[in-house]
Amino acid sequence: MPDADAAMRADLDLLANAARDAGALALTYFRRDPERWMKEGNSVVTEADIAVDDFLRDRLMTARPDHGWISEESEDDAARLGCARVFVVDPIDGTKAFVDGRPDWTVSLAIAEAGRPVAAALFAPVHDELFLASAGAGASLNGAPVAPSSHEGLQGALIAGSKNVLSDTFLAATGINRARFIPSLAYRLALVGDGRIDGAAARPDAYDWDLAAADLIVHEAGGLMTDIDGRQIRYNEKRLRHPALVAAAAGVHEALRQRIASSVRHR
């Protein structure tokens, strides 16, 4: 299907170029004390988040005016529910890290269709790392194919997540090792895809924009990402928030999912 392949490449090129350019724009504010304020939910937002969101909306919606739009920094528009395809955007994932001058923040872009991501770009500007994925075509980091680790089981597995999810008691009971904390959830999940960590967990109430790009990267690399009941995550639904979830290498995922599900339910 040459036409479908060409369209897929065009979508990925669009996201890749937009992510890199958005990252370059964000870097003009990074470690320069950008204006910031608190928004609903008591989370921080900066002038950089808004500038990057505006840039991305103009770039992406000009290229694909028939697509819907979901972004952390844009007011939700129910018209997206009637669109066959939607952009799912987090202009700066890990804003707290961005404000603090730490490197682990990303620009997260995806296109979702029929509830699932079909194209994704995740760019970590400070690290100059660009993850790309297309449905059925694999995932890459800076042009090289990626794959999850070959680790089996929980013993010795390197898992990333907040202490709310991976308590000291949980670590001791399972034999897993806690990876360093990675403030960008999208980046944390994507690192499962390239095997730097064996798994990652997220507490409840992550949004579409936190997850969509990383979800496709993990799956196309060969890993698994589900909620704690083992269900695939659906995007562009009426509700944009999600339950606790787990991403992991194939040999780790089911055991980790079961243990985190049990831990969450017994709190």
Side-chain angles (χ1 to χ4, degrees):
M1 294 190 301
D3 290 345
D5 289 345
M8 180 178 71
R9 287 194 298 271
D11 282 343
L12 204 56
D13 286 345
L14 173 65
L15 294 184
N17 292 330
R20 281 203 174 275
D21 290 346
L25 175 58
L27 284 172
T28 66
Y29 295 88
F30 185 54
R31 294 174 178 162
R32 298 185 182 183
D33 194 28
E35 182 182 352
R36 69 200 73 167
W37 56 95
M38 303 305 291
K39 61 182 180 180
E40 185 179 354
N42 202 35
S43 60
V44 66
V45 64
T46 75
E47 59 180 320
D49 294 86
I50 304 306
V52 174
D53 189 63
D54 288 345
F55 165 80
L56 287 168
R57 184 160 191 159
D58 180 66
R59 170 74 71 87
L60 298 176
M61 293 301 294
T62 297
R64 303 285 190 275
D66 60 333
H67 285 30
W69 181 260
I70 298 171
S71 170
E72 180 172 12
E73 308 306 342
S74 299
E75 184 177 353
D76 190 24
D77 183 350
R80 63 179 171 78
L81 295 168
C83 296
R85 286 186 151 208
V86 296
F87 290 112
V88 187
V89 172
D90 196 338
I92 299 178
D93 185 59
T95 299
K96 183 65 165 58
F98 181 90
V99 167
D100 292 342
R102 292 179 287 156
D104 293 335
W105 52 273
T106 59
V107 177
S108 179
L109 309 178
I111 296 173
E113 181 178 10
R116 293 291 299 159
V118 295
L122 182 71
F123 184 44
V126 181
H127 299 298
D128 193 27
E129 293 180 349
L130 179 63
F131 292 87
L132 297 175
S134 289
S140 65
L141 171 58
N142 291 348
V146 293
S149 79
S150 57
H151 196 92
E152 294 284 339
L154 296 183
Q155 189 67 39
L158 186 62
I159 309 297
S162 68
K163 288 187 177 180
N164 299 44
V165 177
L166 305 179
S167 67
D168 290 341
T169 301
F170 181 88
L171 296 174
T174 57
I176 68 174
N177 298 314
R178 183 191 286 124
R180 68 181 181 85
F181 180 66
I182 302 164
S184 165
L185 176 55
Y187 191 50
R188 184 192 316 166
L189 298 168
L191 294 185
V192 173
D194 78 354
R196 274 180 273 182
I197 58 176
D198 301 309
R203 59 190 179 184
D205 292 330
Y207 287 84
D208 276 21
W209 49 76
D210 299 310
L211 306 176
D215 188 340
L216 187 63
I217 291 163
V218 169
H219 278 99
E220 287 299 318
L224 296 168
M225 180 170 150
T226 68
D227 69 19
I228 59 171
D229 292 317
R231 296 172 300 204
Q232 235 181 17
I233 298 159
R234 303 283 300 175
Y235 300 93
N236 193 32
E237 304 282 307
K238 288 184 179 180
R239 178 176 166 83
L240 297 172
R241 300 174 85 168
H242 299 277
L245 59 94
V246 173
V252 175
H253 179 270
E254 182 58 17
L256 183 62
R257 182 196 69 76
Q258 289 185 15
R259 292 304 297 262
I260 288 180
S262 178
S263 175
V264 167
R265 289 174 184 139
H266 285 87
R267 287 179 185 169

